[in-house]
Every structure is written in C-alpha cells, then in structure tokens.
Amino acid sequence: MRDIPRERFIPEECRHLSCDDEPVAIGFGQTISQPYITALMVECLALVGTETVLEVGAGCGYHAAVLGALAARVVAVEIVPELAQAARRNLEENGLDQNVLIIAGDASRGWPEYAPYDAISVAAAAPEPSPELLAQLKDPGSMVIPVGSLWEQELRVITKREGAVHSRLATYCRFVPLRGGAGWE
Ligand code: SAH
C-alpha cells in the first residue's frame, strides 16, 4: 500500500486528508474506504499472485490498484460511470493499469464475462451476497463482503472449499450501500 499513492486517487480538494486512516469523499456521494479496512479486506483474501480477482465497487480505483499489485488480474466494476472513468484515469496516470480492468456497470450480481474468480472483493454493503456472486467464486476461492443493514454491517469472509461454503466474521463495519439489481435500490 505504501507503493500506491493514495493521494493521487483522491480529488484535489480532499487530498490533504489522504494520509489519515479515514474514509474520504470521492464525489457522487461515495467514499474511498479507510486504509485500515482496505488492508484488512485485501489481507482476508490471502492472495499469492496468480489470482483473477473481481472487485465490486471500484470507486476511485485505489483498492483495485492494491489488488492489482498482489494478484495476476483484477476486474473492477463501478456503477457510477463518472467514477469508473476517474478510476481508469487514476490507474493509467500512475502506471497501474496493466492488469486492472475498470468496467462501468452494475456488479451486484457479479460480472459473468470473466467468471469464475479466485477471489471477490465487495466494497459496498449488501443485504446478503447474491447467489450469482457466490456462483462466480471458484472452488477453492474467497470473497470478502460487508453484509447487513444500510447502517451497520459485518465484514464477512466467505470461503468455498471442496464444495462447502464457510463464512467468518472479520470485523464490524459501515460501508456505502450496494446499489443495483441485487442491492438496496
Ligand atoms: N474500493 C473503492 C471504494 C468505493 S466505495 C475505492 O478504493 O475507492 C463503494 C463503491 O461501490 C462506490 O463507488 C459505489 O458507486 C459502488 N457501487 C455501489 N453499488 C454498486 C454495484 N451494484 N456495482 C458496482 N459498483 C457499485
């Protein structure tokens, strides 16, 4: 994470907040996650470098860049087209776009085009992981996702292994809502 310049993913007017361990506004009512949470989420996936990872909620692209440094390939989907464009630009301008693909769209039901994924990282709060999202996770594979109400959630690590699905609590958290077909609106 020290190698990825977080300040260059944050709009200029909020840039002075980039070294704080806090979420920061990135426009369109969205935020870049607190660095601690990004680190925890990435750690939960235990990437070894060979994985194809789906990120749901690319925002400004920072988390996708961190995943890109640790995995073979990242497909990061963002529902706000302007943010998807900004994320793409941020990655390109910092030379971090070689293995990170930013797509504008609704990934509440995953993104079948590049499925299955070795790992899935969801950056917006879901009522529950959609069956489609779970189906796009490889066996073995891991998904990290905030699950709960609009106001508070559990960050859950869902692992698939030998046909069985297991879920554990990583921490309590508060994310912006997942939108779209399998989200809140
Ligand atoms: N990982 C991001 C944090 C983004 S916050 C970063 O590093 O900046 C969560 C993002 O999820 C928001 O940008 C929001 O627009 C997006 N989002 C919400 N619902 C979505 C959906 N169904 N599909 C794709 N993106 C979604």
Side-chain angles (χ1 to χ4, degrees), residues 2-4 10 14 25 30 35 45 49 55 60 73 81 98 112-114 119 131 147 152 159 173 176 184-185:
R2 206 172 280 144
D3 291 343
I4 318 282
I10 292 176
C14 295
Q30 306 304 324
L45 297 177
E55 187 192 28
C60 66
R73 185 156 87 127
Q98 300 87 343
E113 191 179 352
Y114 300 100
V147 179
E152 51 186 8
T159 44
C173 56
V176 297
W184 292 102
E185 350 160 348

PDB file of all heavy atoms in Angstrom, residues 2-4 10 14 25 30 35 45 49 55 60 73 81 98 112-114 119 131 147 152 159 173 176 184-185:
ATOM      1  N   ARG A   2       2.059   1.123   0.559  1.00  0.00           N
ATOM      2  CA  ARG A   2       2.974   2.269   0.537  1.00  0.00           C
ATOM      3  C   ARG A   2       3.401   2.596  -0.901  1.00  0.00           C
ATOM      4  O   ARG A   2       3.737   3.730  -1.218  1.00  0.00           O
ATOM      5  CB  ARG A   2       4.208   1.934   1.399  1.00  0.00           C
ATOM      6  CG  ARG A   2       4.883   3.161   1.949  1.00  0.00           C
ATOM      7  CD  ARG A   2       5.967   2.773   2.935  1.00  0.00           C
ATOM      8  NE  ARG A   2       5.411   2.443   4.232  1.00  0.00           N
ATOM      9  CZ  ARG A   2       5.886   1.477   5.029  1.00  0.00           C
ATOM     10  NH1 ARG A   2       6.887   0.728   4.660  1.00  0.00           N
ATOM     11  NH2 ARG A   2       5.340   1.269   6.198  1.00  0.00           N
ATOM     12  N   ASP A   3       3.375   1.581  -1.768  1.00  0.00           N
ATOM     13  CA  ASP A   3       3.767   1.780  -3.167  1.00  0.00           C
ATOM     14  C   ASP A   3       2.662   2.439  -4.006  1.00  0.00           C
ATOM     15  O   ASP A   3       2.915   2.860  -5.129  1.00  0.00           O
ATOM     16  CB  ASP A   3       4.101   0.431  -3.819  1.00  0.00           C
ATOM     17  CG  ASP A   3       5.372  -0.164  -3.247  1.00  0.00           C
ATOM     18  OD1 ASP A   3       6.147   0.586  -2.608  1.00  0.00           O
ATOM     19  OD2 ASP A   3       5.576  -1.376  -3.423  1.00  0.00           O
ATOM     20  N   ILE A   4       1.450   2.448  -3.524  1.00  0.00           N
ATOM     21  CA  ILE A   4       0.327   3.007  -4.299  1.00  0.00           C
ATOM     22  C   ILE A   4      -0.020   4.382  -3.703  1.00  0.00           C
ATOM     23  O   ILE A   4      -0.448   4.460  -2.557  1.00  0.00           O
ATOM     24  CB  ILE A   4      -0.930   2.097  -4.230  1.00  0.00           C
ATOM     25  CG1 ILE A   4      -0.586   0.607  -4.346  1.00  0.00           C
ATOM     26  CG2 ILE A   4      -1.978   2.539  -5.256  1.00  0.00           C
ATOM     27  CD1 ILE A   4      -0.285   0.073  -5.696  1.00  0.00           C
ATOM     28  N   ILE A  10      -7.446  10.589  -4.891  1.00  0.00           N
ATOM     29  CA  ILE A  10      -8.433  11.385  -4.153  1.00  0.00           C
ATOM     30  C   ILE A  10      -8.559  12.752  -4.826  1.00  0.00           C
ATOM     31  O   ILE A  10      -7.543  13.346  -5.204  1.00  0.00           O
ATOM     32  CB  ILE A  10      -7.969  11.510  -2.676  1.00  0.00           C
ATOM     33  CG1 ILE A  10      -8.051  10.128  -2.003  1.00  0.00           C
ATOM     34  CG2 ILE A  10      -8.776  12.549  -1.924  1.00  0.00           C
ATOM     35  CD1 ILE A  10      -7.549  10.080  -0.594  1.00  0.00           C
ATOM     36  N   CYS A  14      -9.789  17.231  -1.432  1.00  0.00           N
ATOM     37  CA  CYS A  14      -9.729  16.390  -0.222  1.00  0.00           C
ATOM     38  C   CYS A  14      -8.344  15.773  -0.040  1.00  0.00           C
ATOM     39  O   CYS A  14      -8.122  14.965   0.863  1.00  0.00           O
ATOM     40  CB  CYS A  14     -10.755  15.265  -0.296  1.00  0.00           C
ATOM     41  SG  CYS A  14     -12.448  15.836  -0.302  1.00  0.00           S
ATOM     42  N   ALA A  25     -14.224  11.513   0.926  1.00  0.00           N
ATOM     43  CA  ALA A  25     -15.210  11.694  -0.141  1.00  0.00           C
ATOM     44  C   ALA A  25     -14.525  11.701  -1.509  1.00  0.00           C
ATOM     45  O   ALA A  25     -13.485  12.346  -1.686  1.00  0.00           O
ATOM     46  CB  ALA A  25     -15.966  12.999   0.073  1.00  0.00           C
ATOM     47  N   GLN A  30     -19.978   9.071  -2.729  1.00  0.00           N
ATOM     48  CA  GLN A  30     -19.207   7.851  -2.456  1.00  0.00           C
ATOM     49  C   GLN A  30     -17.912   8.199  -1.717  1.00  0.00           C
ATOM     50  O   GLN A  30     -17.504   9.355  -1.666  1.00  0.00           O
ATOM     51  CB  GLN A  30     -18.910   7.103  -3.751  1.00  0.00           C
ATOM     52  CG  GLN A  30     -20.142   6.797  -4.577  1.00  0.00           C
ATOM     53  CD  GLN A  30     -21.194   6.008  -3.812  1.00  0.00           C
ATOM     54  OE1 GLN A  30     -20.879   5.151  -3.006  1.00  0.00           O
ATOM     55  NE2 GLN A  30     -22.453   6.317  -4.056  1.00  0.00           N
ATOM     56  N   PRO A  35      -8.011   3.314   4.941  1.00  0.00           N
ATOM     57  CA  PRO A  35      -6.900   2.420   4.591  1.00  0.00           C
ATOM     58  C   PRO A  35      -6.865   1.134   5.424  1.00  0.00           C
ATOM     59  O   PRO A  35      -6.597   0.055   4.894  1.00  0.00           O
ATOM     60  CB  PRO A  35      -5.657   3.266   4.859  1.00  0.00           C
ATOM     61  CG  PRO A  35      -6.119   4.675   4.685  1.00  0.00           C
ATOM     62  CD  PRO A  35      -7.548   4.701   5.135  1.00  0.00           C
ATOM     63  N   LEU A  45      -8.155 -12.012   1.768  1.00  0.00           N
ATOM     64  CA  LEU A  45      -8.176 -12.820   0.545  1.00  0.00           C
ATOM     65  C   LEU A  45      -6.918 -13.678   0.392  1.00  0.00           C
ATOM     66  O   LEU A  45      -6.882 -14.574  -0.448  1.00  0.00           O
ATOM     67  CB  LEU A  45      -8.352 -11.913  -0.678  1.00  0.00           C
ATOM     68  CG  LEU A  45      -9.673 -11.128  -0.737  1.00  0.00           C
ATOM     69  CD1 LEU A  45      -9.693 -10.220  -1.958  1.00  0.00           C
ATOM     70  CD2 LEU A  45     -10.876 -12.074  -0.742  1.00  0.00           C
ATOM     71  N   GLY A  49      -0.715 -14.182  -5.916  1.00  0.00           N
ATOM     72  CA  GLY A  49      -0.174 -13.563  -7.120  1.00  0.00           C
ATOM     73  C   GLY A  49      -0.677 -14.162  -8.420  1.00  0.00           C
ATOM     74  O   GLY A  49      -0.443 -13.622  -9.493  1.00  0.00           O
ATOM     75  N   GLU A  55     -13.497  -7.030  -8.273  1.00  0.00           N
ATOM     76  CA  GLU A  55     -13.866  -6.047  -7.258  1.00  0.00           C
ATOM     77  C   GLU A  55     -15.215  -5.437  -7.638  1.00  0.00           C
ATOM     78  O   GLU A  55     -15.390  -4.950  -8.758  1.00  0.00           O
ATOM     79  CB  GLU A  55     -12.829  -4.921  -7.110  1.00  0.00           C
ATOM     80  CG  GLU A  55     -13.218  -4.051  -5.899  1.00  0.00           C
ATOM     81  CD  GLU A  55     -12.501  -2.720  -5.737  1.00  0.00           C
ATOM     82  OE1 GLU A  55     -12.058  -2.125  -6.732  1.00  0.00           O
ATOM     83  OE2 GLU A  55     -12.422  -2.272  -4.580  1.00  0.00           O
ATOM     84  N   CYS A  60     -12.725   5.105  -6.768  1.00  0.00           N
ATOM     85  CA  CYS A  60     -11.641   5.870  -7.407  1.00  0.00           C
ATOM     86  C   CYS A  60     -10.531   4.961  -7.924  1.00  0.00           C
ATOM     87  O   CYS A  60      -9.565   5.433  -8.514  1.00  0.00           O
ATOM     88  CB  CYS A  60     -11.076   6.879  -6.421  1.00  0.00           C
ATOM     89  SG  CYS A  60     -10.249   6.103  -5.020  1.00  0.00           S
ATOM     90  N   ARG A  73      -4.635 -10.578 -12.073  1.00  0.00           N
ATOM     91  CA  ARG A  73      -5.551  -9.773 -12.865  1.00  0.00           C
ATOM     92  C   ARG A  73      -6.727  -9.321 -12.015  1.00  0.00           C
ATOM     93  O   ARG A  73      -7.238 -10.100 -11.201  1.00  0.00           O
ATOM     94  CB  ARG A  73      -6.059 -10.603 -14.048  1.00  0.00           C
ATOM     95  CG  ARG A  73      -6.939  -9.821 -15.005  1.00  0.00           C
ATOM     96  CD  ARG A  73      -6.913 -10.463 -16.370  1.00  0.00           C
ATOM     97  NE  ARG A  73      -7.938 -11.499 -16.442  1.00  0.00           N
ATOM     98  CZ  ARG A  73      -8.848 -11.536 -17.405  1.00  0.00           C
ATOM     99  NH1 ARG A  73      -8.850 -10.639 -18.363  1.00  0.00           N
ATOM    100  NH2 ARG A  73      -9.738 -12.501 -17.431  1.00  0.00           N
ATOM    101  N   PRO A  81     -20.798   5.847 -13.719  1.00  0.00           N
ATOM    102  CA  PRO A  81     -19.906   5.911 -14.881  1.00  0.00           C
ATOM    103  C   PRO A  81     -18.775   6.929 -14.718  1.00  0.00           C
ATOM    104  O   PRO A  81     -17.636   6.656 -15.121  1.00  0.00           O
ATOM    105  CB  PRO A  81     -20.828   6.319 -16.034  1.00  0.00           C
ATOM    106  CG  PRO A  81     -22.219   6.159 -15.550  1.00  0.00           C
ATOM    107  CD  PRO A  81     -22.219   6.084 -14.069  1.00  0.00           C
ATOM    108  N   GLN A  98      -1.870  -1.978 -16.016  1.00  0.00           N
ATOM    109  CA  GLN A  98      -1.524  -3.121 -16.876  1.00  0.00           C
ATOM    110  C   GLN A  98      -2.429  -4.320 -16.647  1.00  0.00           C
ATOM    111  O   GLN A  98      -2.821  -4.990 -17.592  1.00  0.00           O
ATOM    112  CB  GLN A  98      -0.064  -3.587 -16.665  1.00  0.00           C
ATOM    113  CG  GLN A  98       0.999  -2.537 -16.948  1.00  0.00           C
ATOM    114  CD  GLN A  98       1.274  -1.675 -15.723  1.00  0.00           C
ATOM    115  OE1 GLN A  98       0.493  -1.634 -14.776  1.00  0.00           O
ATOM    116  NE2 GLN A  98       2.402  -0.969 -15.740  1.00  0.00           N
ATOM    117  N   PRO A 112     -20.346 -11.877 -15.034  1.00  0.00           N
ATOM    118  CA  PRO A 112     -20.146 -13.218 -15.597  1.00  0.00           C
ATOM    119  C   PRO A 112     -19.077 -13.300 -16.693  1.00  0.00           C
ATOM    120  O   PRO A 112     -18.460 -14.347 -16.866  1.00  0.00           O
ATOM    121  CB  PRO A 112     -21.519 -13.570 -16.176  1.00  0.00           C
ATOM    122  CG  PRO A 112     -22.480 -12.540 -15.704  1.00  0.00           C
ATOM    123  CD  PRO A 112     -21.724 -11.392 -15.144  1.00  0.00           C
ATOM    124  N   GLU A 113     -18.876 -12.194 -17.408  1.00  0.00           N
ATOM    125  CA  GLU A 113     -17.969 -12.211 -18.563  1.00  0.00           C
ATOM    126  C   GLU A 113     -16.597 -12.822 -18.256  1.00  0.00           C
ATOM    127  O   GLU A 113     -16.032 -13.535 -19.074  1.00  0.00           O
ATOM    128  CB  GLU A 113     -17.805 -10.766 -19.061  1.00  0.00           C
ATOM    129  CG  GLU A 113     -17.121 -10.663 -20.396  1.00  0.00           C
ATOM    130  CD  GLU A 113     -17.001  -9.202 -20.862  1.00  0.00           C
ATOM    131  OE1 GLU A 113     -17.587  -8.297 -20.224  1.00  0.00           O
ATOM    132  OE2 GLU A 113     -16.302  -8.991 -21.864  1.00  0.00           O
ATOM    133  N   TYR A 114     -16.046 -12.532 -17.084  1.00  0.00           N
ATOM    134  CA  TYR A 114     -14.697 -13.025 -16.763  1.00  0.00           C
ATOM    135  C   TYR A 114     -14.703 -14.088 -15.663  1.00  0.00           C
ATOM    136  O   TYR A 114     -13.662 -14.455 -15.145  1.00  0.00           O
ATOM    137  CB  TYR A 114     -13.785 -11.858 -16.367  1.00  0.00           C
ATOM    138  CG  TYR A 114     -13.632 -10.839 -17.468  1.00  0.00           C
ATOM    139  CD1 TYR A 114     -14.353  -9.657 -17.458  1.00  0.00           C
ATOM    140  CD2 TYR A 114     -12.784 -11.085 -18.545  1.00  0.00           C
ATOM    141  CE1 TYR A 114     -14.244  -8.724 -18.486  1.00  0.00           C
ATOM    142  CE2 TYR A 114     -12.657 -10.169 -19.579  1.00  0.00           C
ATOM    143  CZ  TYR A 114     -13.391  -8.991 -19.541  1.00  0.00           C
ATOM    144  OH  TYR A 114     -13.269  -8.084 -20.563  1.00  0.00           O
ATOM    145  N   ALA A 119     -10.990 -14.827  -6.352  1.00  0.00           N
ATOM    146  CA  ALA A 119     -11.305 -14.003  -5.186  1.00  0.00           C
ATOM    147  C   ALA A 119     -12.260 -12.904  -5.612  1.00  0.00           C
ATOM    148  O   ALA A 119     -12.211 -12.424  -6.748  1.00  0.00           O
ATOM    149  CB  ALA A 119     -10.030 -13.409  -4.601  1.00  0.00           C
ATOM    150  N   PRO A 131     -26.763 -14.913  -4.924  1.00  0.00           N
ATOM    151  CA  PRO A 131     -26.409 -16.269  -5.354  1.00  0.00           C
ATOM    152  C   PRO A 131     -25.508 -16.245  -6.592  1.00  0.00           C
ATOM    153  O   PRO A 131     -24.605 -17.070  -6.730  1.00  0.00           O
ATOM    154  CB  PRO A 131     -27.754 -16.918  -5.670  1.00  0.00           C
ATOM    155  CG  PRO A 131     -28.801 -16.066  -5.039  1.00  0.00           C
ATOM    156  CD  PRO A 131     -28.231 -14.704  -4.859  1.00  0.00           C
ATOM    157  N   VAL A 147     -21.881  -7.377   4.937  1.00  0.00           N
ATOM    158  CA  VAL A 147     -23.251  -7.868   4.888  1.00  0.00           C
ATOM    159  C   VAL A 147     -24.027  -7.353   6.093  1.00  0.00           C
ATOM    160  O   VAL A 147     -23.546  -7.435   7.223  1.00  0.00           O
ATOM    161  CB  VAL A 147     -23.271  -9.422   4.897  1.00  0.00           C
ATOM    162  CG1 VAL A 147     -24.697  -9.930   4.881  1.00  0.00           C
ATOM    163  CG2 VAL A 147     -22.515  -9.988   3.716  1.00  0.00           C
ATOM    164  N   GLU A 152     -25.269  -0.635   9.498  1.00  0.00           N
ATOM    165  CA  GLU A 152     -24.130  -1.348  10.059  1.00  0.00           C
ATOM    166  C   GLU A 152     -24.062  -2.741   9.460  1.00  0.00           C
ATOM    167  O   GLU A 152     -25.083  -3.338   9.146  1.00  0.00           O
ATOM    168  CB  GLU A 152     -24.198  -1.406  11.590  1.00  0.00           C
ATOM    169  CG  GLU A 152     -25.532  -1.910  12.079  1.00  0.00           C
ATOM    170  CD  GLU A 152     -25.678  -1.830  13.583  1.00  0.00           C
ATOM    171  OE1 GLU A 152     -24.814  -1.259  14.255  1.00  0.00           O
ATOM    172  OE2 GLU A 152     -26.678  -2.373  14.083  1.00  0.00           O
ATOM    173  N   THR A 159     -15.620 -18.425   2.235  1.00  0.00           N
ATOM    174  CA  THR A 159     -14.683 -19.280   1.501  1.00  0.00           C
ATOM    175  C   THR A 159     -15.420 -20.505   0.960  1.00  0.00           C
ATOM    176  O   THR A 159     -16.326 -21.030   1.606  1.00  0.00           O
ATOM    177  CB  THR A 159     -13.510 -19.741   2.398  1.00  0.00           C
ATOM    178  OG1 THR A 159     -14.032 -20.135   3.652  1.00  0.00           O
ATOM    179  CG2 THR A 159     -12.508 -18.631   2.615  1.00  0.00           C
ATOM    180  N   CYS A 173     -18.424  -3.101  10.533  1.00  0.00           N
ATOM    181  CA  CYS A 173     -18.038  -2.026   9.638  1.00  0.00           C
ATOM    182  C   CYS A 173     -19.255  -1.248   9.161  1.00  0.00           C
ATOM    183  O   CYS A 173     -20.398  -1.620   9.433  1.00  0.00           O
ATOM    184  CB  CYS A 173     -17.303  -2.624   8.432  1.00  0.00           C
ATOM    185  SG  CYS A 173     -18.291  -3.869   7.578  1.00  0.00           S
ATOM    186  N   VAL A 176     -20.847   2.200   2.261  1.00  0.00           N
ATOM    187  CA  VAL A 176     -21.924   2.793   1.463  1.00  0.00           C
ATOM    188  C   VAL A 176     -22.747   1.631   0.893  1.00  0.00           C
ATOM    189  O   VAL A 176     -22.239   0.521   0.728  1.00  0.00           O
ATOM    190  CB  VAL A 176     -21.379   3.688   0.312  1.00  0.00           C
ATOM    191  CG1 VAL A 176     -20.610   4.885   0.852  1.00  0.00           C
ATOM    192  CG2 VAL A 176     -20.525   2.902  -0.666  1.00  0.00           C
ATOM    193  N   TRP A 184     -29.611  -2.483  -2.754  1.00  0.00           N
ATOM    194  CA  TRP A 184     -30.681  -1.848  -1.999  1.00  0.00           C
ATOM    195  C   TRP A 184     -31.663  -1.089  -2.884  1.00  0.00           C
ATOM    196  O   TRP A 184     -32.736  -0.744  -2.446  1.00  0.00           O
ATOM    197  CB  TRP A 184     -30.112  -0.900  -0.943  1.00  0.00           C
ATOM    198  CG  TRP A 184     -29.391  -1.650   0.125  1.00  0.00           C
ATOM    199  CD1 TRP A 184     -28.043  -1.793   0.270  1.00  0.00           C
ATOM    200  CD2 TRP A 184     -29.983  -2.378   1.217  1.00  0.00           C
ATOM    201  NE1 TRP A 184     -27.759  -2.562   1.370  1.00  0.00           N
ATOM    202  CE2 TRP A 184     -28.938  -2.932   1.976  1.00  0.00           C
ATOM    203  CE3 TRP A 184     -31.285  -2.599   1.628  1.00  0.00           C
ATOM    204  CZ2 TRP A 184     -29.147  -3.694   3.110  1.00  0.00           C
ATOM    205  CZ3 TRP A 184     -31.509  -3.371   2.774  1.00  0.00           C
ATOM    206  CH2 TRP A 184     -30.444  -3.898   3.498  1.00  0.00           C
ATOM    207  N   GLU A 185     -31.295  -0.702  -4.108  1.00  0.00           N
ATOM    208  CA  GLU A 185     -32.221   0.046  -4.974  1.00  0.00           C
ATOM    209  C   GLU A 185     -32.071  -0.458  -6.399  1.00  0.00           C
ATOM    210  O   GLU A 185     -31.055  -0.991  -6.752  1.00  0.00           O
ATOM    211  CB  GLU A 185     -31.921   1.545  -4.993  1.00  0.00           C
ATOM    212  CG  GLU A 185     -30.934   1.932  -3.986  1.00  0.00           C
ATOM    213  CD  GLU A 185     -30.201   3.246  -4.160  1.00  0.00           C
ATOM    214  OE1 GLU A 185     -30.245   3.877  -5.223  1.00  0.00           O
ATOM    215  OE2 GLU A 185     -29.576   3.599  -3.182  1.00  0.00           O
TER     216      GLU A 185
END
